[in-house]
Amino acid sequence: MVSAVVASQKDWQINECYQVYTKALEKPANDEREYRLVKLLNQLEVLIISDPDTDRASAALDVHVGSLNDPHIFCEHLLFMGTKKYPKENDYYSYLSEHSGLANAFTGTENTNYFFEVGHQFLEGALDRFSHFFIDPLFSESCTERELRAVDSEHKKNLQSDCWRIAQVEKQLSNPNHPWHLFENGKLGLDIRQELLKFHETYYSANIMKLTVIGKESLDQLTEWVVEKFSNVINRNILVPSFEGHPLTENQTKKQIFIKSVKKTRTLSVTFPFPDQAPFYESQPAHYLSHLTGHEGPGSILSYLKKKNWATYLSSGMCFGGTGFGFFHVCVDLTEQGIVHYEDVVVAIFQYIEMLKESGPKQWIFDEIKSLAEIEFRFSEKCTPSQYASYLSQQMQENLPPHQTISGSHILRKYDPKLINQHLELLRPDNFRLMLAAQEFPHGIQLTKVEKWYSTDYEELGLRPELMNRLENISLNDEFTLPAINEFLPSNLDVSKFEVTEKKTEPELIEDTPLARIWYKQDDTFWAPRTNVWIMFKNPLLYATPRNSVMTKLYMSLLTDSLSEYSYNAEVAGLAYYVDQELQGIILNVGGYSDKLPLLLAKVIDKMKNIRIEQERFDILKEELTRGYEKLLFRGTISTCSLLFVGYPVNCGYFNGRLPLRDLDDVNSAINYNTQICDVKDIGLRNRLALVSAISQEPCFNQLRTREQLGYLVFSGVRRQLSQLAFRLIVQSERDPIYLENRVLEFLESLREIIAEMPETEYQSQVDSLIADNLEKHKNLYDEGSKYWSDIECGYYEFNDTVKDVEELKTITKESLLEFYDELIMPSSNKVSAISVHETDRYNVDQLYPVLTYLKLVDKKELSEDDLKEKITENGGDSKIQNETGFVEFLSTELELNQEQINQVIIKMNQGPSGLSSRDHTALPKDCVVIKNIFKFKRRLPLSVAAVPFYKFTNV
């Protein structure tokens, strides 16, 4: 159990409604935001951040309770579905959608994190709605039923995911007396509402919550809002839940687990039970060990395994489990030879550990890690407000000294060789568990067991006596050495800050020759000692044929592999490079601290020109690339669907292509529906498309996911491929794709009504929200540079697109938007160019109101949907009418329907959403052309329009 760090009471100033921490908080040197740490009377601790330069505000609240407390309960899915003050279930999301916002939540093993982001002017309204989720949530019965199905759908989308399957087998084979052992994902089958209310009333207590709020307003104003809105969160004065013991005891170690993977992977994992690292935040011994065991330079484990042709990748480090326990992992991606020699790989890992024990802790290594951490924190770059708020609210749970609330474990503060040695001693042959995931195993190993939740084939055996004997008599391996001093550690971090009268909004063309164009943009905003370089090596032949494309990818893999030992130190020191293949050639991106960046850049380019290819490495990387393609072809994934068609100008028409599911165990199907709109240069159409996309997001999610429960993954938005823009909807579901297609078409028709019936004030809010998105400031140097590079790479050089788009948005009336929609998106239009790709017992209370209005049994003006829900609540709630007897009684007595009308309602309710449509949901529309041969279809499409620069080049 971690003890709380208690600050002296004299460091806190007591006010009428809260206490405020009076000492300065450690923060990055270039961070000009103001911070205030307060504690409300209900013991809710809040970090308040005033950022005058931000254009978006955020809040995040972390509850120190998660899936370890009850793996079947997921408050995160249900908490946002209405409160007593804001009972409309999608009020929160609608408010955020109208004001350039977003929201999300996630459940960890011992924390649940909720956060939102919104245009800075609308923080107070969002904050008020957010606060009531922790004061008076409704947990209505109909929402509970639907969200349980969403949780189940989320689980089913992971059924064929190797990482989920492997994790669950490892959990199942852990200590049965520890909650880590239990299944923690969603699945139907529980009567949960009362348990959920009990869970919320037990654990949702202000004293184990942490809140972070970021806004443009002053600290005083933000503090006033926080006190006003969050003081009513109940303090139940509970202890943070803790758990005795460890998931891996002596009964679970010295075992090897073999797991059959879905994909053609070969993964080896060595796991050591470790203590929770929170109490050791000053010295971070696990960080020291992972720095060495995960090193990729000369003398490292990975370097040795590559020489043996046994591995392609290695990662090592601490995995947080929960308060009081954790795991130290060494994970290796094996080659075909490597899986045969998997025991030799394990021996090599322990030989390296033995070398570390013989060498003992080294202060110069700790000091190097410490120095790099301090530089990284000193020059921390801004991220999105919601990311920052969410991260800080989680870090606040670590019980650090108050002045380290921001810096936390970013900084190493104390060299403790004794503590490092104590952790080294935990890396023993009698204190680990081995896991091997693959499709075939050596030594004739057969898998005879099946995991309950994912139906994963596995086997658990003891370690072979021969392996244990080798590990118990481990000897040193001369191949292993400590890493050399890092030559990439930056020494010059000075920044020449100058007065800026007007910030530049586009790069400058400093060289324009037949051989090269060089663009340069000097940092005049962030004043960070960083540089980002993008280089396009143009060669259209690299993508001209499938053979050329594959050879280019293989070349890039060999390049990265040959540089791995050299570049690893650069990566550790905050420098990185990345090569990628595009239609026009190869892109090289190098970024990080400016001081040593030229050194890395020169080395990469020299290696690109003078690479030496060894046959054994070639064979290994070719096999790895082949497996990558096989994964892509394993089933028709949504990303595959997207790549097949969009990007070609499609003449007016409605086309459908089907991709067969090759994984018969996957219960999911999918649809990717695209309506092609315009060329990217069409300013009028592209902004109307962007506005429709923004308006559609909340109703699309609310209708297709929340109400109809088609599946966990539902998405709508703009798709850009080459010169073409399209409006697309994606749904992954257990339903048949033809049914999904008809529901998508139905939604597109209803979306037209939503826009048409939208009040002018709401429509203007949508326009203003999109304008705010366009005007959003760059968060950091890389963010700004990426925008300019994107403008250059695409060939349009439209650096001022934001200005033009904002001016165009101001002119779009609702009438002109409807004209655009009717012509280019409405399914019934003869000008639509659409293409879709398919992969192939209770009453739903939420469907009652649409059924009643469809049958014209109620008048919307006389009875609203909220009025109907109030009637249901007054008559015993959702559960009473979810059986036929109660349902009929309600329709008869409360709505005064006769038997014939009741029968009509029951028929439509049983039909589901499709019952409210005249559309045949068992077949595609008559005007739909089914694509039977993808290649023939693509061959007859016209070519895409080449990019024509907006930029006026003097020599063109």
Side-chain angles (χ1 to χ4, degrees):
M1 178 68 186
V2 181
S3 336
V5 177
V6 181
S8 171
Q9 190 57 46
K10 68 180 181 181
D11 297 334
W12 293 83
Q13 176 184 318
I14 302 175
N15 297 327
E16 183 180 353
C17 299
Y18 63 93
Q19 300 178 55
V20 60
Y21 185 68
T22 56
K23 288 191 172 182
L25 303 182
E26 289 181 351
K27 66 176 187 176
N30 60 346
D31 188 349
E32 297 180 351
R33 292 169 289 200
E34 293 183 294
Y35 294 83
R36 177 181 289 173
L37 184 63
V38 304
K39 188 182 293 182
L40 306 186
L41 295 183
N42 59 3
Q43 298 303 301
L44 174 62
E45 197 169 289
V46 189
L47 180 62
I48 300 168
I49 306 170
S50 173
D51 184 358
D53 292 329
T54 192
D55 39 31
R56 297 176 70 79
S58 178
L61 189 145
D62 195 90
V63 189
H64 209 321
V65 62
S67 60
L68 288 180
N69 290 86
D70 192 332
H72 299 294
I73 291 181
F74 284 85
C75 270
E76 64 157 286
H77 276 266
L78 295 145
L79 202 65
F80 291 158
M81 295 296 170
T83 62
K84 289 181 181 178
K85 183 172 182 179
Y86 300 100
K88 188 178 177 183
E89 70 178 52
N90 66 333
D91 178 88
Y92 175 62
Y93 289 110
S94 294
Y95 182 87
L96 294 175
S97 178
E98 288 175 22
H99 300 115
S100 191
L102 57 88
N104 212 335
F106 61 86
T107 300
T109 54
E110 63 171 21
N111 75 301
T112 310
N113 195 272
Y114 305 88
F115 58 90
F116 72 83
E117 189 172 304
V118 72
H120 72 86
Q121 311 96 311
F122 308 101
L123 173 61
E124 186 183 11
L127 207 57
D128 195 48
R129 287 164 173 79
F130 186 67
S131 66
H132 278 272
F133 294 129
F134 308 97
I135 297 171
D136 53 13
L138 291 178
F139 293 128
S140 72
E141 292 182 43
S142 63
C143 292
T144 302
E145 178 71 22
R146 280 191 282 101
E147 286 307 305
L148 277 175
R149 296 191 180 280
V151 172
D152 187 56
S153 179
E154 182 178 9
H155 163 65
K156 286 176 178 174
K157 80 175 174 61
N158 298 324
L159 285 176
Q160 297 302 298
S161 168
D162 279 324
C163 62
W164 285 96
R165 293 163 68 89
I166 292 169
Q168 187 55 38
V169 171
E170 291 184 321
K171 282 176 173 292
Q172 179 172 308
L173 298 177
S174 65
N175 180 3
N177 298 318
H178 196 283
W180 184 267
H181 170 78
L182 300 174
F183 176 68
E184 67 174 38
N185 207 349
K187 192 172 177 68
L188 285 177
L190 296 171
D191 182 11
I192 203 171
R193 184 170 183 269
Q194 288 305 316
E195 289 297 318
L196 179 59
L197 288 169
K198 180 181 175 182
F199 178 82
H200 187 274
E201 289 169 3
T202 302
Y203 291 112
Y204 271 53
S205 174
N207 74 302
I208 66 166
M209 295 177 178
K210 306 293 182 184
L211 173 66
T212 301
V213 177
I214 303 174
K216 198 179 185 76
E217 293 77 11
S218 67
L219 286 175
D220 288 343
Q221 178 63 78
L222 294 172
T223 302
E224 182 182 324
W225 287 346
V226 164
V227 172
E228 173 193 334
K229 300 178 192 308
F230 288 90
S231 291
N232 288 331
V233 177
I234 295 175
N235 177 19
R236 308 179 197 281
N237 199 30
I238 65 172
L239 296 174
V240 173
S242 60
F243 311 97
E244 292 184 5
H246 198 287
L248 295 184
T249 69
E250 60 181 10
N251 295 324
Q252 287 79 42
T253 54
K254 294 188 289 185
K255 299 287 179 65
Q256 51 184 342
I257 306 169
F258 301 92
I259 302 174
K260 186 174 182 179
S261 60
V262 174
K263 297 177 181 177
K264 289 187 177 181
T265 55
R266 294 181 290 266
T267 305
L268 178 147
S269 176
V270 173
T271 301
F272 300 89
F274 248 47
D276 178 11
Q277 293 297 291
F280 315 127
Y281 71 95
E282 290 184 309
S283 55
Q284 300 180 39
H287 187 171
Y288 178 94
L289 296 179
S290 65
H291 173 78
L292 296 172
T293 54
H295 210 280
E296 297 180 17
S300 66
I301 300 173
L302 182 59
S303 175
Y304 173 75
L305 296 179
K306 280 186 172 183
K307 288 177 184 177
K308 291 287 190 178
N309 294 311
W310 292 343
T312 58
Y313 176 79
L314 180 146
S315 63
S316 174
M318 188 71 190
C319 175
F320 174 76
T323 301
F325 71 96
F327 309 92
F328 191 87
H329 291 290
V330 181
C331 299
V332 185
D333 287 355
L334 301 174
T335 63
E336 286 183 315
Q337 294 182 47
I339 197 165
V340 175
H341 291 273
Y342 81 93
E343 291 184 341
D344 295 319
V345 172
V346 175
V347 170
I349 292 170
F350 276 94
Q351 286 176 332
Y352 188 88
I353 292 169
E354 187 66 19
M355 182 272 296
L356 294 181
K357 291 178 179 179
E358 288 282 333
S359 302
K362 303 294 182 186
Q363 182 155 2
W364 72 266
I365 295 178
F366 177 87
D367 290 342
E368 187 174 277
I369 300 169
K370 179 175 180 289
S371 177
L372 289 168
E374 288 170 348
I375 292 171
E376 189 64 26
F377 180 71
R378 178 184 171 190
F379 296 105
S380 298
E381 294 186 297
K382 277 188 177 181
C383 56
T384 66
S386 57
Q387 288 175 321
Y388 194 46
S390 175
Y391 167 75
L392 286 173
S393 64
Q394 293 174 76
Q395 182 164 274
M396 290 168 71
Q397 298 283 20
E398 295 179 10
N399 290 318
L400 298 164
H403 70 283
Q404 295 174 7
T405 297
I406 304 166
S407 57
S409 57
H410 284 288
I411 298 175
L412 285 76
R413 307 166 195 277
K414 177 185 175 183
Y415 176 59
D416 191 337
K418 182 179 179 181
L419 196 57
I420 293 172
N421 276 323
Q422 288 174 357
H423 281 71
L424 258 176
E425 287 305 312
L426 296 174
L427 305 181
R428 305 189 311 270
D430 65 343
N431 191 45
F432 82 99
R433 183 165 74 176
L434 175 64
M435 187 282 297
L436 198 62
Q439 292 191 333
E440 295 179 352
F441 301 95
H443 307 310
I445 293 168
Q446 299 296 315
L447 310 186
T448 63
K449 300 179 178 68
V450 179
E451 188 275 324
K452 175 181 178 181
W453 299 103
Y454 292 86
S455 300
T456 307
D457 295 329
Y458 74 95
E459 188 64 56
E460 182 186 35
L461 301 170
L463 294 173
R464 293 203 318 148
E466 295 87 346
L467 174 60
M468 282 303 300
N469 183 58
R470 293 175 68 187
L471 296 179
E472 288 168 358
N473 296 282
I474 203 78
S475 59
L476 292 176
N477 185 330
D478 293 339
E479 294 282 341
F480 294 131
T481 60
L482 294 173
I485 294 173
N486 194 335
E487 63 178 318
F488 288 102
L489 193 67
S491 54
N492 180 8
L493 294 165
D494 296 333
V495 177
S496 300
K497 195 170 183 179
F498 54 88
E499 185 177 348
V500 179
T501 54
E502 184 178 354
K503 293 183 179 180
K504 293 183 177 180
T505 57
E506 62 180 63
E508 178 185 356
L509 183 61
I510 60 175
E511 182 175 318
D512 188 6
T513 70
L515 183 64
R517 283 187 181 135
I518 301 177
W519 300 82
Y520 173 69
K521 168 66 170 64
Q522 185 169 10
D523 176 22
D524 56 8
T525 303
F526 304 104
W527 313 111
R530 289 186 169 92
T531 298
N532 289 286
V533 178
W534 287 267
I535 302 173
M536 165 71 81
F537 298 95
K538 285 196 171 186
N539 187 337
L541 295 178
L542 300 183
Y543 215 88
T545 68
R547 178 181 175 83
N548 286 6
S549 177
V550 171
M551 289 177 69
T552 303
K553 286 186 179 294
L554 191 51
Y555 162 76
M556 292 190 302
S557 296
L558 289 160
L559 173 69
T560 304
D561 184 68
S562 65
L563 281 166
S564 61
E565 287 194 1
Y566 179 83
S567 64
Y568 183 77
N569 268 338
E571 184 179 337
V572 169
L575 272 172
Y577 80 97
Y578 178 69
V579 288
D580 193 20
Q581 181 183 18
E582 295 291 341
L583 293 177
Q584 302 176 63
I586 292 176
I587 291 177
L588 169 64
N589 171 221
V590 183
Y593 295 111
S594 307
D595 185 33
K596 301 295 175 65
L597 186 142
L599 186 65
L600 178 61
L601 178 59
K603 180 69 173 182
V604 173
I605 292 178
D606 177 69
K607 183 65 74 172
M608 290 177 76
K609 295 188 296 183
N610 302 304
I611 186 171
R612 295 183 62 184
I613 300 173
E614 298 176 1
Q615 184 65 48
E616 287 184 326
R617 295 308 297 170
F618 174 86
D619 292 339
I620 288 170
L621 294 171
K622 178 183 174 183
E623 190 268 340
E624 188 177 55
L625 182 61
T626 302
R627 283 191 289 130
Y629 280 117
E630 288 173 345
K631 288 178 188 178
L632 187 65
L633 295 173
F634 183 73
R635 63 187 298 267
T637 60
I638 287 174
S639 58
T640 309
C641 301
S642 303
L643 293 171
L644 284 174
F645 302 115
V646 182
Y648 299 92
V650 180
N651 296 326
C652 295
Y654 182 16
F655 300 92
N656 170 266
R658 297 180 69 85
L659 290 174
L661 284 169
R662 301 191 178 184
D663 180 4
L664 300 178
D665 294 325
D666 198 327
V667 299
N668 297 299
S669 59
I671 176 177
N672 182 359
Y673 179 93
N674 296 267
T675 303
Q676 194 160 289
I677 303 298
C678 64
D679 186 278
V680 294
K681 291 190 70 173
D682 194 319
I683 297 172
L685 290 182
R686 78 186 186 197
N687 280 284
R688 282 162 176 79
L689 169 60
L691 186 53
V692 168
S693 173
I695 292 172
S696 75
Q697 288 179 8
E698 193 280 330
C700 175
F701 188 87
N702 186 53
Q703 181 62 36
L704 301 181
R705 184 189 183 277
T706 304
R707 288 180 175 271
E708 297 189 22
Q709 290 290 301
L710 292 183
Y712 183 73
L713 294 178
V714 174
F715 169 81
S716 67
V718 177
R719 167 73 175 177
R720 175 175 174 175
Q721 185 75 10
L722 303 178
S723 63
Q724 300 299 307
L725 295 175
F727 180 61
R728 69 171 174 179
L729 290 97
I730 293 174
V731 181
Q732 179 178 301
S733 173
E734 295 177 61
R735 302 299 298 264
D736 178 81
I738 292 177
Y739 179 87
L740 297 178
E741 175 116 357
N742 282 282
R743 296 315 305 152
V744 165
L745 296 174
E746 192 85 13
F747 169 73
L748 291 175
E749 291 173 355
S750 69
L751 181 59
R752 202 267 181 207
E753 294 181 23
I754 291 172
I755 298 172
E757 296 174 4
M758 186 177 287
E760 194 60 36
T761 53
E762 185 179 336
Y763 172 78
Q764 193 55 49
S765 292
Q766 293 284 357
V767 174
D768 292 342
S769 175
L770 188 54
I771 288 174
D773 284 346
N774 276 276
L775 295 176
E776 186 176 349
K777 298 174 184 175
H778 298 298
K779 296 293 183 290
N780 50 59
L781 192 65
Y782 181 82
D783 186 30
E784 181 181 7
S786 295
K787 196 276 178 189
Y788 300 141
W789 174 248
S790 176
D791 293 334
I792 293 168
E793 181 197 354
C794 70
Y796 289 97
Y797 304 92
E798 193 181 7
F799 302 116
N800 64 341
D801 56 342
T802 297
V803 175
K804 291 187 287 188
D805 289 342
V806 167
E807 291 305 311
E808 180 65 25
L809 284 167
K810 292 176 181 178
T811 71
I812 302 176
T813 63
K814 189 167 75 170
E815 290 70 26
S816 70
L817 188 66
L818 287 170
E819 289 175 9
F820 160 81
Y821 194 92
D822 289 341
E823 181 178 355
L824 295 176
I825 296 179
M826 193 69 174
S828 58
S829 171
N830 59 9
K831 293 187 178 181
V832 163
S833 296
I835 188 165
S836 68
V837 183
H838 293 180
E839 274 191 279
T840 222
D841 65 7
R842 279 178 156 189
Y843 291 113
N844 184 344
V845 176
D846 289 312
Q847 197 185 329
L848 178 57
Y849 189 75
V851 166
L852 293 171
T853 55
Y854 176 83
L855 295 173
K856 298 181 180 179
L857 298 177
V858 298
D859 188 329
K860 287 184 178 181
K861 294 179 181 178
E862 295 180 2
L863 184 73
S864 69
E865 186 169 9
D866 288 338
D867 292 336
L868 177 64
K869 288 187 175 181
E870 189 173 335
K871 278 182 176 290
I872 293 171
T873 302
E874 291 171 353
N875 285 273
D878 299 343
S879 59
K880 184 174 180 180
I881 70 167
Q882 284 179 327
N883 61 76
E884 187 163 342
T885 302
F887 187 66
V888 170
E889 181 184 347
F890 176 80
L891 295 179
S892 174
T893 58
E894 294 300 319
L895 301 184
E896 299 180 353
L897 301 185
N898 59 42
Q899 190 59 49
E900 182 181 351
Q901 292 170 326
I902 290 173
N903 290 339
Q904 289 177 324
V905 172
I906 290 175
I907 289 171
K908 289 298 178 185
M909 292 289 286
N910 287 332
Q911 288 175 343
S914 61
L916 309 185
S917 170
S918 59
R919 193 184 307 280
D920 180 0
H921 281 62
T922 64
L924 292 169
K926 292 180 180 179
D927 58 346
C928 177
V929 177
V930 177
I931 301 167
K932 297 181 179 179
N933 187 309
I934 293 171
F935 305 104
K936 286 183 179 180
F937 174 76
K938 291 173 71 172
R939 278 199 294 269
R940 62 188 176 89
L941 292 174
L943 294 174
S944 301
V945 179
V948 179
F950 284 86
Y951 190 89
K952 304 298 182 184
F953 290 99
T954 57
N955 64 344
V956 176

